[in-house]
Amino acid sequence: MGGREEPVAGVDLPRRFVLPADQRERVPVGVVWELTSACDLGCKHCGSRAGRKLRSELSTAECLDLVDQLAALGVRDVGLIGGETYLRRDWVTIIRAIRQAGMDCSLQTGGRGMTDARLEEAVAAGLQGMGVSIDGLAPTHDYLRGVEGSFAAAEDLLVRLKRFDVTVGVNTQINRLSMPELPVLLDLLAANSVRNWQLALTVAMGNAADRPDLILQPYELLDLFPMLSNLHTKAKAMGMVLQPSNNIGYFGPYEAQLRYVNDMPVHWAGCAAGDTVLGIEADGTIKGCPGFSRDYVGGNVRDEPLKEIWARPDALAFVRRSTVDDLWGFCRSCYYAETCMSGCTWTSHSLLGRPGNNPLCHYRAIDFDRRGLRERVVPVQRAPGERFDYGRFDLIVEPKPPALPERPAAVGDRRLRDRLF
């Protein structure tokens, strides 16, 4: 069903003029680099299905050469992810090379094996920031991460990080298990002096694609966003920044509150994948976003220089070349279409098999709700079981039930976990 020509009352944020693709800055400011697929956790929502090291992972020499290419291209910030970065023997060598090349460097970790010795090595090499993944309270986190005690290890890491001169943040995926626990989790993070909390919706990719009941339904955003607004207010009073990721939005009544830069309210201005953001897989595959499927591969640094891959107008440049005519469904006729461009491409493509129509949008959920309707995503095709893969969902529009909408499971509710896993 198509969207509205006018904004929802009270949500009429201005549309922003978007520069033509050839006038935009074309420098990959931020890079997210998967150093290895090896992992010591078994996350049930992992998009890359990490676990074992790939035989085709870049060698140390290839990684150091890639660092030089990134610096030459003008990259400012490199975020290292896995798997688990510390499961590569040369991970500290790569951190040191990134810093010596003049780029900022941070990493994301589940924390299970991040010992003090490893921390000391990384900080001495120049590591500036560390994000610790925590997905709910202990029972839920351990369930999702697949290892009993992983929550305790992550919380212990937060305590130990206070002794090191690095910026500390926490990353949390929002799904039907973790969502009810966010308010309690905020208090726990504040008690551990966390200053940055990044939240993202779990995407139906990889292991999460095999568990469709884990994914939030579009109408559940109507419960999520008032919660996020309250958490934002409370976090700010605690001196913590609550940072919504690129798949949380868009243009609802809390947009200006949640999405801000340097205390200035802003609004979503479109996907940055392949525009100012670059993703690198462990084997040297280059994509516009680290989460993207293999539909968006621009090339591999083993085959050609990174500069040439970045400049070539193919799969990597889809954001720069997209127009409103590439949108479909509700997003095609939405008031904010020109600016939003259907939000997070990774989220929408993983659900519906192609970009341009994103049902996980707060503005959209409000619009349907006002008309007595709601959208529901229903799995119709399983994922093949490969790295960065996805299945397919159908999008159903139906009358809003007369009873209260379905709510996510309560804290500690084992029934949903048992059904999911």
Side-chain angles (χ1 to χ4, degrees), residues 61-297:
E62 288 173 322
C63 286
L64 296 180
D65 179 68
L66 180 53
V67 169
D68 291 339
Q69 292 188 60
L70 290 170
L73 198 57
V75 171
R76 303 175 196 169
D77 179 88
V78 179
L80 302 178
I81 62 172
E84 273 291 359
T85 55
Y86 55 70
L87 295 180
R88 271 193 72 119
R89 293 181 180 179
D90 58 1
W91 70 295
V92 173
T93 300
I94 296 169
I95 291 172
R96 183 177 293 109
I98 291 169
R99 296 293 291 122
Q100 289 177 347
M103 297 177 287
D104 292 340
C105 184
S106 61
L107 66 80
Q108 306 298 322
T109 180
R112 184 183 177 197
M114 187 64 77
T115 62
D116 281 351
R118 282 171 166 160
L119 279 172
E120 290 167 1
E121 281 189 283
V123 173
L127 185 72
Q128 297 157 293
M130 183 172 295
V132 182
S133 298
I134 300 181
D135 294 321
L137 304 180
T140 294
H141 176 93
D142 287 359
Y143 232 68
L144 290 170
R145 293 282 161 177
V147 176
E148 187 174 353
S150 58
F151 178 89
E155 187 176 19
D156 177 65
L157 177 57
L158 291 179
V159 173
R160 291 186 289 115
L161 278 168
K162 297 175 185 178
R163 307 199 303 268
F164 296 88
D165 186 21
V166 296
T167 301
V168 180
V170 165
N171 308 289
T172 299
Q173 289 204 24
I174 303 175
N175 50 57
R176 301 188 73 222
L177 289 179
S178 65
M179 176 179 154
E181 302 181 353
L182 297 180
V184 182
L185 184 57
L186 171 62
D187 293 333
L188 184 147
L189 300 184
N192 284 287
S193 304
V194 173
R195 289 293 172 258
N196 185 281
W197 188 18
Q198 185 178 73
L199 298 165
L201 301 182
T202 295
V203 176
M205 173 171 277
N207 291 343
D210 301 336
R211 299 168 174 85
D213 284 344
L214 193 63
I215 309 301
L216 285 183
Q217 288 290 343
Y219 56 84
E220 290 178 317
L221 300 181
L222 300 174
D223 292 326
L224 173 62
F225 277 85
M227 177 193 293
L228 292 181
S229 174
N230 291 334
L231 291 175
H232 176 274
T233 299
K234 188 174 181 180
K236 188 173 183 180
M238 295 174 169
M240 184 189 304
V241 175
L242 189 153
Q243 180 183 357
S245 75
N246 291 338
N247 72 352
I248 291 181
Y250 310 87
F251 297 98
Y254 307 110
E255 174 79 0
Q257 177 193 15
L258 296 176
R259 199 177 301 280
Y260 61 96
V261 177
N262 297 327
D263 289 328
M264 295 294 293
V266 296
H267 62 76
W268 172 257
C271 179
D275 198 351
T276 58
V277 175
L278 190 68
I280 306 174
E281 290 187 21
D283 64 355
T285 296
I286 303 298
K287 302 184 296 188
C289 166
F292 278 168
S293 68
R294 293 303 178 91
D295 299 276
Y296 295 94
V297 170

Side-chain angles (χ1 to χ4, degrees), residues 218 221 225 249-251 330-331 340 358-366:
L221 300 181
F225 277 85
Y250 310 87
F251 297 98
F330 181 99
C331 290
C340 184
N358 185 0
L360 293 181
C361 163
H362 190 213
Y363 173 87
R364 176 169 173 162
I366 291 172

